[in-house]
Structures are given as C-alpha cells and as structure tokens.
Amino acid sequence: MQIIEIYKSLQGESSFAGLPCVFVRLAICNLRCSWCDSEYTFKGGKKMSADEVETEVRRLAPDGGLVEFTGGEPMLHEREILPLMERLISKRYTVLLETSGERPLEKVPFLVHKIVDVKCPGSGEAGTFRNENLYTLTDRDELKFVLADRADYEFARDFVEKNMTGREIGNIIFSPAFRKDANGARSAEHCLLDPQQLAEWILADNLPVRLGLQIHKFIWQPQVKGI
Ligand code: SF4
C-alpha cells in the first residue's frame, strides 16, 4: 500500500477527540474537496507492506490503543488495509477508518469504527456519498458533516432528518470547515463557519447532533503536517 506518513498524535475529531492515536495516512484521493487540508496526499508516498505498517504501529503504540486509517481516501487501498485492520483488532487495537463514504463499506471489518465524512455542497463534492453505505452503519460508527456555510448546514440537517431518524448510529457530528490558508494564531477565526453560529443553528433546530471542532487545529498551527 502507498503510505504518506505514519505518526502518533492526539485524535482531533470524532467522539475519540483528545485521545492518543496512531495515524496511518494513505496516498491518493478520488475527490477534490475545496477546503481539503491533505492535498499533499494526492501523489507520492512510500510503498509499504502490511507487515511493515504493523511494525511501525506497534513501535509507536506497543500497548495497543487507537489506530486510524486516513488519507487521502484509505478505501482506495481496500484490498490491503482490510486484512491489516483485522490483524490489529486481534491484537487489541481500536481501529478507526476515516472515509468519504464514496467507496462501498460493506467489507469493512465489523469492529472497525467508521467515521464517514458525507460531503456537503461547499466542498464541491456533494452527491459522492454512496447511500447504500447507510446500511453498513452501526452504533460504533459516526457520520461527519464538514460545513462551510448555511447552505451546507441545511444540506446536512436535511440529510439527517431524511436518512437518520430511527437509525442506530454512534454519533452525528457537524464540524465547521477550516480555512485552507489558515496560519498564525490558533483560533476559531480560521473556521469558514463561525462555531458560535453553528451552535445557534443546531440549538434552534433542536438537532440530535454533536458540534465537533478539529481540536488539533487549535493545539498546533493549522498548517502543520503530522498532527
Ligand atoms: S476526501 Fe479528504 S483527502 Fe480527499 S479531497 Fe476531500 S478532504 Fe481531501
């Protein structure tokens, strides 16, 4: 598989936010989100075998813990990563998969926590989410919507109301998009959508969702890689 980087940091998003986590960042993405902060994954990287990736994960976190497969789009490496996920789970790691949900997810091992980033109009990639993937979601999984403006919020709200009522899922997260050109002070002013505004919309509509901030962008400089 083609690996951009493997590193240990704090998990910045999802209900696991704040916990130490090893990130396995894979190369290549088939989408081009307007606010993407991982464009450096679109090409390059280093070919590594599953054994080599596992060795590096165990070096960084010998006692288990969280491991997230991210990218790029990790499901473009499905053939290699799915068996590796099974191996890591059998060795008591908690495995997360960050994916856009554009690729089929039914073969992802049952115990993996899927964090599925449904693209909204502001990303330029709305409509890429594969609706059949809704049937693969369990109470271990999370749906994430990264929002740039009111139109994105309404898209996400309508998606939740139409598709998620009565469905068992771990969490639904609405998260303000970060500016691609953000640098300097680590503050909410770098968000494309003001978190306070988003909080007020969520409360006004009484939505059963969690507001998520990308906390790594507030801890480290927004443009730093390997965080
Ligand atoms: S899916 Fe992720 S890696 Fe791919 S373009 Fe969108 S934000 Fe970037």
Side-chain angles (χ1 to χ4, degrees), residues 12-203:
E13 304 180 70
S14 81
S15 61
F16 296 92
L19 292 172
C21 180
V22 174
F23 292 85
V24 178
R25 188 178 294 284
L26 292 121
I28 311 174
C29 189
N30 52 348
L31 304 188
R32 289 294 179 268
C33 302
S34 57
W35 36 252
C36 178
D37 60 1
S38 309
E39 290 171 326
Y40 61 94
T41 65
F42 291 170
K43 57 184 179 189
K46 176 183 167 195
K47 204 160 186 55
M48 290 177 76
S49 67
D51 284 348
E52 288 169 328
V53 173
E54 182 180 342
T55 299
E56 183 60 5
V57 168
R58 289 165 73 85
R59 186 184 74 78
L60 291 167
D63 301 323
L66 290 183
V67 181
E68 176 172 295
F69 287 79
T70 186
E73 173 48 64
M75 285 303 288
L76 296 174
H77 308 262
E78 168 182 5
R79 195 169 48 84
E80 293 116 320
I81 65 169
L82 299 188
L84 176 56
M85 288 173 166
E86 297 270 24
R87 275 163 59 174
L88 291 168
I89 289 168
S90 75
K91 289 169 183 161
R92 299 182 184 277
Y93 287 90
T94 299
V95 175
L96 317 180
L97 167 67
E98 171 92 19
T99 174
S100 71
E102 188 276 338
R103 300 278 84 206
L105 298 176
E106 71 263 13
K107 292 187 187 153
V108 175
F110 187 63
L111 291 176
V112 169
H113 298 258
K114 300 188 284 293
I115 301 164
V116 184
D117 183 355
V118 180
K119 302 302 179 187
C120 298
S123 71
E125 293 288 6
T128 53
F129 175 73
R130 188 179 290 253
N131 273 327
E132 296 87 330
N133 283 333
L134 287 172
Y135 301 102
T136 73
L137 300 178
T138 73
D139 58 5
R140 268 185 304 282
D141 299 325
E142 309 193 359
L143 272 192
K144 184 175 78 170
F145 298 83
V146 178
L147 311 175
D149 53 24
R150 176 75 193 183
D152 280 359
Y153 171 78
E154 290 180 6
F155 173 92
R157 179 195 62 194
D158 295 351
F159 185 101
V160 168
E161 288 178 349
K162 179 171 171 219
N163 297 299
M164 303 314 295
T165 307
R167 198 181 289 275
E168 286 269 320
I169 186 169
N171 270 294
I172 301 171
I173 298 169
F174 282 17
S175 182
F178 235 77
R179 297 173 62 93
K180 243 162 83 162
D181 57 355
N183 56 34
R186 298 160 281 160
S187 76
E189 283 167 20
H190 291 313
C191 294
L192 287 171
L193 173 60
D194 181 356
Q196 183 180 335
Q197 176 68 84
L198 176 55
E200 287 167 7
W201 290 340
I202 290 171
L203 290 170

